């Protein structure tokens, strides 16, 4: 099983940090659209490492499919064919109030964005004239001046982040890969995600081999009691944040914790983040994340996803994770799988 880890640093530090993470054994690096641009660190990393690179995720709804196609095509060239374009929709308040863009029918919009980008790639590859006429965007003009031509490494893979059944079905129907959201559980994945994948593949006339599945895991790793306590605290903080969002209620619902979501939501609006963290008990920690020594975390990751995927994205949120522990985790996952 291959491991992708987050390239989480300021843009000017991306080259050095990318080298360090690859030296720890990471097979791939991904960026998150947070305080900095999601693409810029990967431009830097492409020139200094041989690792696979991915946006995880770039928010698609505020961006034109053509903008996404251009940057993805360039990163595919810069990385010599090692780039995956990971896309996500974000929730309505962020799209409307932070990005200043329109939000409606996110699954339908994301499905169309993937199809539009693929149509643009096909035009650049010379496979078909550009004639994409969708519900939300139209792309029918591509003069030679604006056509980069075929990519020497082929078009990059397009992955779609999804949790609910509508978005998961859309991903399975049209995308090359599914990014399984990190706020998840074995039961939710088995009972809701897998059936939605099967439905989407059937709608698209595709087989399981046509869709790569990339689970994402929230990891709290350490060895000493102090390290494990700090890791647990950091993980609980992220779980509390995710759990406060209505979009993630289905995961809590499956596990019998649906009433926790509105309580967390109220606390988040009050800014009572410590109280949110305290609400995440040991059972929730063990169900929604992995926690323990590198070997224990590795065993949990392989047990949860080994039958469904050969690649996993790992997050180490809100605590000072040791590079030694990251290296040991990666090594243990590879040994266990």
């Amino acid at each position: 099983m291959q491991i992708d880890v987050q390239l989480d640093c300021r843009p000017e530090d991306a080259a050095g940090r990318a080298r360090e993470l690859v030296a720890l054994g990471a097979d791939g690096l991904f960026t998150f659209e947070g305080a900095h641009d999601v693409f810029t660190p990967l431009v830097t990393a492409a020139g200094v490492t041989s690792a696979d690179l991915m946006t995880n995720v770039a928010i698609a709804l505020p961006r034109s499919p053509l903008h996404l196609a251009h940057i993805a095509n360039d990163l595919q060239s810069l990385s010599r064919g090692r780039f995956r374009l990971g896309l996500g929709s974000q929730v309505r308040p962020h799209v409307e109030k932070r990005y200043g863009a329109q939000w409606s029918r996110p699954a339908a919009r994301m499905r169309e964005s993937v199809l539009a980008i693929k149509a643009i790639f096909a035009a650049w590859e010379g496979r078909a004239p550009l004639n994409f006429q969708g519900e939300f965007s139209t792309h029918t003009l591509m003069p030679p001046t604006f056509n980069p031509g075929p990519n020497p490494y082929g078009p990059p893979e397009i992955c779609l982040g999804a949790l609910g059944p509508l978005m998961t079905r859309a991903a399975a129907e049209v995308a090359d890969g599914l990014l399984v959201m990190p706020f998840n559980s074995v039961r939710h994945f088995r009972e809701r995600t897998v059936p939605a994948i099967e439905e989407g593949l059937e709608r698209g006339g595709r087989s399981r081999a046509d869709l790569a599945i990339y689970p994402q895991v929230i990891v709290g790793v350490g060895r000493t009691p102090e390290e494990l306590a700090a890791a647990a605290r950091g993980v609980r903080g992220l779980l509390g944040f995710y759990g406060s969002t209505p979009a993630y209620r289905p995961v809590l619902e499956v596990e019998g914790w649906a009433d926790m979501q509105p309580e967390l939501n109220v606390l988040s609006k009050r800014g009572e983040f410590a109280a949110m963290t305290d609400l995440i008990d040991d059972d929730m920690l063990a169900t929604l994340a992995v926690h323990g020594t590198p070997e224990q975390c590795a065993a949990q990751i392989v047990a949860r996803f080994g039958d469904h995927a050969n690649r996993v994205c790992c997050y180490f949120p809100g605590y000072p994770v040791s590079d030694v522990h990251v290296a040991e985790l990666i090594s243990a996952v590879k040994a266990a799988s």
Side-chain angles (χ1 to χ4, degrees), residues 3 30 236:
I3 299 293
F30 64 85
R236 291 179 205 271

Side-chain angles (χ1 to χ4, degrees), residues 1-76:
M1 181 177 285
Q2 293 182 301
I3 299 293
D4 295 329
V5 297
Q6 186 176 357
L7 180 58
D8 183 16
C9 59
R10 295 185 60 83
E12 61 267 30
D13 299 325
R17 187 55 180 158
R19 290 191 187 97
E20 291 172 353
L21 292 172
V22 172
L24 299 179
D27 299 290
L29 308 174
F30 64 85
T31 51
F32 167 75
E33 187 150 10
H36 299 283
D37 179 70
V38 71
F39 293 104
T40 302
L42 299 180
V43 173
T44 302
V48 299
T49 77
S50 59
D52 294 333
L53 305 173
M54 177 173 64
T55 53
N56 189 15
V57 292
I59 306 306
L61 295 187
R63 291 182 168 98
S64 160
L66 183 63
H67 288 136
L68 291 167
H70 270 300
I71 187 62
N73 186 66
D74 288 348
L75 274 166
Q76 178 77 334

Side-chain angles (χ1 to χ4, degrees), residues 1-5 21-27 221 223 293-299 301-302 314 316 322-337:
M1 181 177 285
Q2 293 182 301
I3 299 293
D4 295 329
V5 297
L21 292 172
V22 172
L24 299 179
D27 299 290
V221 64
R223 288 204 181 276
T293 67
E295 295 77 20
Q296 290 169 335
C297 289
I301 289 170
V302 173
C314 291
F316 308 93
S322 162
D323 279 359
V324 172
H325 294 340
V326 174
E328 291 172 341
L329 171 70
I330 294 171
S331 177
V333 169
K334 292 180 183 297
S337 58

Side-chain angles (χ1 to χ4, degrees), residues 152-169:
Y153 305 98
E157 184 177 306
I158 304 175
C159 303
L160 188 56
L163 178 73
L166 293 179
M167 195 70 77
T168 302
R169 282 198 294 265

Side-chain angles (χ1 to χ4, degrees), residues 182 184 186 216-222 228 231-232 235-236 239 282-305 312-317 319 329 333:
N184 219 315
V186 173
Q216 305 183 76
V217 186
I218 300 171
V219 181
V221 64
L228 290 169
V235 169
R236 291 179 205 271
L239 294 178
D282 290 345
D283 192 20
M284 296 179 72
L285 176 67
T287 300
L288 302 173
V290 300
H291 178 250
T293 67
E295 295 77 20
Q296 290 169 335
C297 289
Q300 294 170 52
I301 289 170
V302 173
R304 293 183 187 191
F305 299 113
V312 173
C313 300
C314 291
Y315 294 83
F316 308 93
Y319 68 99
L329 171 70
V333 169

